[in-house]
Amino acid sequence: MTETTRKGLNYPWDTPPDTGSAIEVADGVLWMRLPLPMALDHVNVYALDEGDCWTVIDTGFDSGRTRAIWQRLLDGPLGGKPVSRIIGTHHHPDHIGLAGWFQSMGATLWATRTTWLFSRMLMLDAQDRPTPETLAFWQQSGMDPAILAKRREERPFNFADVVHPMPVGFQRIQQDDVIEMGGRSWDVHIGNGHSPEHAVFFSRDDNLVIAGDQILPSISPNIGVYATEPMADPLAEWLEACERFAELARPDHLVLGGHKLPFTGMPTRMCQLIDNHHGALKRLLKHLETPQTAAGCFPPLFKRRIGDSEYGLALVEAVAHLNHLMHLGQVTREMSPDGAWLWQTSRA
Ligand SMILES: [Zn+2]
């Protein structure tokens, strides 16, 4: 979630497609955008021409507005041909939100097993108030008491509120698969850290990389720890995946990501994505010479004021960095009298 410089990257299109229209970024590959009601206000989706039908990569949230835009896209740039296949790069609702809607119209869903299982699990996990486990997790993370009190009484963000019901049945994709789409063969590589078992596709026939949120320009993908798995170390998984993708990266790769603009300069971007976190971890270790809660770690991590709309994402990202340092043995933590973990640089 950190804005980074554009240095070393090239953006062949400096303006995204207008709502309801598409830009052809390569032969038979259309780039489209759908709005999101959040600070990050859009998601990119792509359609690959299969002759008499389309493969669509990611879908946007399920809302009346998004479905209406999709109808315009289907009738307009997609020329009335059906969508035969949806590829879900990962389980986040802005990507998987309308997979079930397309399935109800005859499409097959292709995704990793974890993407599908997580989506189906979260679909069934609608809550009217935050669970006791989530409230405890927030308290232990040092969430601002006023924000905690407010959230305790509110309906939380529910996956099922923005994702269309998903029927049983999908086709699994996994590491080292080679799949055909849009007249090209694609190697499947699996990322982690932003979302577990996140699919990325490298074309064997040209320079295209379909990256979802695993590789983004100008913002670094959110890495978060949640009450679901409070001891998780997604940052270790993120760094492992980035180093693997850095080996595959070519300067001429055209990276088609889930947000912001398509870009070339992937080797540079992979270095930036790795270095961002090493820099943040270094600043964090210095900051933790005095004990701090996770919420007390925003200044060294983000170097800017965190507003209400991004507080939740900032908190889970702070815990991710702290858990990583704990798993490396570089910080320890102790429970404070008011029930928040206080983190401190190890005295070794
Ligand atoms: Zn995502």
Side-chain angles (χ1 to χ4, degrees), residues 89-95 194-195 198 212-214 216 221-222 259:
T89 58
H90 63 301
H91 78 264
H92 291 164
D94 46 334
H95 297 262
H194 172 68
S195 172
H198 181 309
D213 287 355
Q214 187 71 35
L216 295 175
N222 182 255
H259 304 280

Side-chain angles (χ1 to χ4, degrees), residues 31-52:
W31 167 33
M32 296 157 291
R33 266 195 175 179
L34 297 162
L36 297 176
M38 310 179 309
L40 183 57
D41 64 0
H42 69 275
V43 59
N44 295 325
V45 300
Y46 303 91
L48 282 73
D49 195 343
E50 306 291 7
D52 53 0

